[in-house]
Amino acid sequence: MRTRWLVLGVLTVALVLAGVASRFADHDPDGLTKVSQDHGFAHTGQTHGAVFGGYGSVTGILGVVLVLALAGGITYAVRRRRSQDDQS
Amino acid sequence: MHVPDGFLDAPTSVATGAAAVACVGVSLVRARRELDDRTAPMAGLVAAFIFAVQMLNFPVASGTSGHLLGGALAAVLVGPWTAVLCTSVVFVVQCLLFADGGITALGTNIMLMGVTTVVVGWLVFRLLQAVLPKRLGVVPVAAGVGAFVSVPVAATMFVVMYAVGGTADIPLDHLATAMVGVHTLIGVGEGVITFLAVGAIIAVRPDLVHGARRVLASRELEIRPKAVA
């Protein structure tokens, strides 16, 4: 499989997952939240205002694009250039 | 396992924040060895994929859910140093835009869900690779086991941090039992997702999987008899 197709495939999977995740995700508290409730220290946690409110289809997809841009940009910037010092 | 603000006191949060900055800084330097023109595009994709899958909470037990942490998955796919960068980006975006995890707890979350799962996942993966047959089919299995182990270890790390700087006075043995118990179940989900994701990439492009490099290298070097065994 060409790298281009693999990249498009994985990206599509990520975008589709982000788009539908809010619909299928289990809404029970996660492991740590549940433990904090059961053991009486949930009240010590503070939440701050969210720019995106929460994980919806649109915000999820925006999040995926943003993470891709940030992580892709950082890793692209630190990569070895083939012309300079590729070992092979 | 996103830790909100207020669970840990200020000095502990400052310490985990400093540790996270140090880990990300070292990773920025070391990741260079893992990334070239061919593999760099994978890193951004892996981060985006982890972000998307983390949204998908799965039920584990009695009113409790869990989601992928992703350190082991990232480490096997793109290498451990790059994995620290990928997972850190995910937690920064979740914290700043989705209020998922506290702002003062950002370092805590990077250390727990990023660095810990990367280190544990990668070490278990490499250990299994050393003792198991050098075959491509083993890579997703070893990755899945590493992922499984990484989650309860991260939960244990939280208990250690709570012992140092927890803001509520609760019995630590109870906390440890509850945290490790529920996160062992979540670890099963982590292992399955990691096995499937690594298996899917291995099936189409094993040359792009960091953790498969040694297997592919040994395969190229070996002189193969005609298919008998």
Side-chain angles (χ1 to χ4, degrees), chain A:
Chain A
M1 190 187 283
R2 300 273 295 270
T3 305
R4 186 188 307 161
W5 292 112
L6 179 71
V7 168
L8 285 174
V10 175
L11 186 58
T12 305
V13 170
L15 289 171
V16 169
L17 276 179
V20 302
S22 51
R23 196 166 299 176
F24 294 104
D26 190 281
H27 291 292
D28 283 327
D30 78 358
L32 175 61
T33 309
K34 184 71 162 65
V35 169
S36 71
Q37 291 166 356
D38 291 348
H39 291 74
F41 65 100
H43 67 279
T44 60
Q46 300 139 19
T47 50
H48 58 277
V51 177
F52 278 180
Y55 296 109
S57 292
V58 176
T59 55
I61 289 169
L62 280 175
V64 166
V65 172
L66 196 62
V67 168
L68 178 71
L70 274 177
I74 291 168
T75 51
Y76 198 70
V78 303
R79 82 192 191 285
R80 283 178 287 127
R81 270 69 162 179
R82 188 152 293 166
S83 52
Q84 286 176 11
D85 50 5
D86 196 307
Q87 61 206 10
S88 52

Side-chain angles (χ1 to χ4, degrees), chain B residues 9-208:
Chain B
D9 61 20
T12 310
S13 298
V14 169
T16 57
V21 168
C23 286
V24 170
V26 173
S27 298
L28 275 171
V29 177
R30 295 298 191 93
R32 188 176 157 76
R33 278 194 277 176
E34 296 167 348
L35 295 162
D36 56 32
D37 287 325
R38 215 168 45 85
T39 57
M42 284 295 290
L45 274 181
V46 165
F49 179 77
I50 289 173
F51 176 85
V53 178
Q54 283 204 0
M55 291 170 61
L56 207 61
N57 280 54
F58 49 84
V60 283
S62 58
T64 313
S65 72
H67 61 69
L68 180 81
L69 298 181
L73 172 62
V76 172
L77 287 180
V78 294
W81 300 106
T82 308
V84 170
L85 301 180
C86 291
T87 51
S88 296
V89 167
V90 170
F91 301 128
V92 167
V93 169
Q94 288 173 335
C95 164
L96 296 182
L97 294 182
F98 294 90
D100 200 6
I103 290 174
T104 63
L106 181 55
T108 303
N109 284 320
I110 288 175
M111 291 309 293
L112 281 178
M113 294 187 292
V115 175
T116 302
T117 61
V118 167
V119 170
V120 174
W122 181 249
L123 289 181
V124 171
F125 172 77
R126 291 289 298 125
L127 189 73
L128 288 173
Q129 236 186 2
V131 297
L132 292 172
K134 303 242 172 318
R135 292 215 319 267
L136 273 183
V138 168
V139 174
V141 177
V145 175
F148 164 68
V149 176
S150 73
V151 182
V153 174
T156 308
M157 279 297 292
F158 172 79
V159 178
V160 170
M161 288 181 186
Y162 207 86
V164 175
T167 51
D169 190 18
I170 53 165
L172 289 172
D173 51 340
H174 292 185
L175 179 65
T177 309
M179 280 298 285
V180 173
V182 69
H183 286 95
T184 301
L185 295 176
I186 295 172
V188 175
E190 179 98 12
V192 170
I193 294 169
T194 303
F195 168 80
L196 292 174
V198 172
I201 306 290
I202 286 274
V204 292
R205 286 296 296 274
D207 60 308
L208 291 178

